[in-house]
């Protein structure tokens, strides 16, 4: 279900951008629909809303700000270039995670992990050089998204809590929505009022436009919620395999649906990058499992 919802989200999201190229506003809609869904779920007690205090709120705000920035910049990239290319660039996320762990958190990263990231960097570089849909807005936005999600991971570790993942993601979504609204109004507000909404309605009709925005928001929230719930329940190695395969699914299906023409070098580069992510994920997951086993022995 996580894969299915993720693929549908990416395809519908890109189809919307083909007739409504306003990624800041669409990002707000993604979060808004999710927040409404969470509020409705809390109202009927599925799940029961977990209380939040000022201490936890202070811990969650940095996580939510990074989530908001990463989300918006991902959407700017999706709107600017092919979905497959954005996901290829986002395959660099482990590289940024490793760099932040070593140079920000002061954790020693083994040489084997750094070496496994070499094919990721090489593959993304190869794919970027000959990607037919390449432009700097799409490339730079995807890179900013990588950095944002890396810092989200760092702040998430500091905000570890006993709250269940469903409630935690709901609170993060609410804060992220508040963060995303002002930039959307400033950057795209005048254009939307002047001609953005009118152009979209002229092209597809009001009913389809509204339903597309509603469903893309639902798919966005549900795939993130399912990913959070799933990853909470599996071992690190399963988590690693799941994340790599998800990207393969999204890249593959987006190429099939949109018929994106890719050069041979871009294709080879994408495969090398994904293979590098897989190797990195396996090594890191093995290290986590060994660490967990050692802690259990000493406990």
């Amino acid at each position: 279900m996580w894969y299915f919802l993720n693929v549908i989200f990416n395809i519908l999201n890109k189809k919307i951008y083909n007739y409504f190229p306003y990624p800041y506003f669409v990002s707000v809609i993604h979060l808004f629909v999710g927040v409404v869904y969470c509020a409705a779920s809390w109202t009927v007690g599925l799940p029961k809303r977990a209380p939040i205090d000022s201490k936890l709120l202070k811990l969650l705000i940095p996580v939510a700000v990074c989530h908001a920035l990463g989300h918006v910049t991902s959407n700017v990239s999706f709107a600017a270039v092919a979905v497959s290319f954005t996901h290829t660039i986002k395959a660099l996320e482990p590289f940024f995670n490793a760099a932040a762990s070593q140079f920000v958190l002061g954790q020693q990263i083994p040489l084997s992990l750094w070496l496994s990231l070499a094919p990721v960097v090489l593959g993304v570089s190869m794919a970027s050089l000959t990607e037919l849909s390449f432009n700097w807005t799409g490339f730079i936005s995807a890179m900013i998204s990588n950095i944002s999600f890396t810092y989200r991971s760092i702040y998430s570790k500091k905000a570890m809590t006993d709250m269940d993942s469903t409630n935690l993601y709901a609170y993060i979504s609410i804060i992220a929505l508040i963060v995303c609204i002002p930039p959307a109004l400033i950057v795209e507000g005048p254009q939307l009022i002047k001609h953005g909404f009118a152009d979209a309605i002229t092209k597809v009709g009001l009913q389809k436009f509204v339903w597309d925005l509603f469903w893309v928001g639902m798919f966005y929230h549900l795939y993130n919620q399912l990913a959070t719930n799933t990853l909470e329940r599996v071992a690190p190695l399963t988590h690693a395999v799941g994340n790599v395969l998800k990207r393969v699914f999204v890249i593959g299906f987006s190429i099939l649906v949109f018929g994106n023409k890719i050069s041979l070098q871009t294709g080879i580069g994408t495969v090398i990058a994904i293979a590098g992510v897989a190797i990195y994920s396996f090594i890191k997951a093995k290290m986590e499992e060994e660490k967990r086993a050692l802690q259990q022995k000493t406990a």
Side-chain angles (χ1 to χ4, degrees):
M1 283 302 292
W2 168 27
Y3 286 8
F4 171 74
L5 293 171
N6 197 306
V7 168
I8 297 297
F9 162 74
N10 277 278
I11 291 169
L12 181 55
N13 206 40
K14 185 61 178 179
K15 283 185 174 181
I16 290 170
Y17 289 135
N18 287 339
Y19 70 82
F20 186 69
Y22 297 94
Y24 285 82
F25 177 78
V26 174
S27 297
V28 168
I29 293 297
H30 291 162
L31 292 165
F32 175 74
V33 173
V35 167
V36 171
Y37 175 85
C38 291
S41 299
W42 279 338
T43 303
V44 297
L46 293 169
K48 187 177 178 182
R49 187 180 73 84
I52 187 169
D53 55 28
S54 58
K55 186 181 176 183
L56 181 56
L57 187 63
K58 284 177 184 176
L59 290 172
L60 289 183
I61 285 174
V63 180
V65 169
C66 291
H67 179 67
L69 181 59
H71 178 51
V72 170
T73 49
S74 290
N75 277 291
V76 170
S77 182
F78 285 138
V81 295
V83 172
S84 55
F85 181 56
T86 298
H87 278 280
T88 303
I89 300 299
K90 285 170 74 66
L92 278 172
E93 200 172 314
F95 174 81
F96 287 96
N97 271 316
S101 294
Q102 178 134 350
F103 302 115
V104 178
L105 296 178
Q107 298 172 356
Q108 195 59 39
I109 301 297
L111 181 62
S112 58
L113 265 186
W114 283 114
L115 291 175
S116 72
L117 289 168
V120 183
V121 177
L122 173 65
V124 171
S125 300
M126 283 179 64
S128 301
L129 286 171
T130 53
E131 169 58 41
L132 301 176
S133 73
F134 181 90
N135 67 52
W136 283 107
T137 300
F139 178 82
I140 292 169
S141 296
M143 293 294 275
I144 294 171
S145 172
N146 281 336
I147 296 168
S148 301
F149 286 140
T150 294
Y151 274 93
R152 181 184 67 179
S153 297
I154 291 171
Y155 287 123
S156 293
K157 286 178 183 177
K158 292 180 181 178
M160 284 297 177
T161 171
D162 292 332
M163 188 184 291
D164 66 281
S165 59
T166 302
N167 273 291
L168 198 63
Y169 183 66
Y171 283 121
I172 288 170
S173 295
I174 292 167
I175 301 166
L177 174 62
I178 294 167
V179 172
C180 286
I181 289 172
L185 291 173
I186 294 165
V187 176
E188 294 176 346
Q191 294 169 285
L192 287 169
I193 293 167
K194 192 175 179 182
H195 57 79
F197 292 127
D199 288 351
I201 293 166
T202 301
K203 287 174 185 173
V204 299
L206 177 61
Q207 187 176 0
K208 178 173 169 50
F209 179 47
V210 172
W211 277 113
D212 279 355
L213 291 177
F214 169 75
W215 282 115
V216 81
M218 281 299 295
F219 282 120
Y220 171 76
H221 180 80
L222 291 174
Y223 104 71
N224 273 291
Q225 187 61 73
L226 269 175
T228 307
N229 295 150
T230 302
L231 301 180
E232 185 183 43
R233 290 167 168 79
V234 297
L237 189 57
T238 310
H239 176 176
V241 174
N243 266 326
V244 174
L245 287 179
K246 182 204 79 172
R247 213 170 288 288
V248 173
F249 264 74
V250 173
I251 290 172
F253 274 100
S254 66
I255 290 171
L256 284 173
V257 171
F258 295 107
N260 299 331
K261 292 182 179 179
I262 60 170
S263 67
L264 179 62
Q265 184 174 318
T266 296
I268 293 170
T270 301
V271 171
I272 291 172
I274 295 299
V277 173
I279 295 166
Y280 168 86
S281 300
F282 288 139
I283 294 172
K284 193 158 192 278
K286 282 289 184 187
M287 286 168 53
E288 297 239 354
E289 285 185 346
E290 286 169 10
K291 185 180 174 184
R292 186 185 288 176
L294 188 65
Q295 286 173 342
Q296 286 175 345
K297 280 182 182 178
T298 55

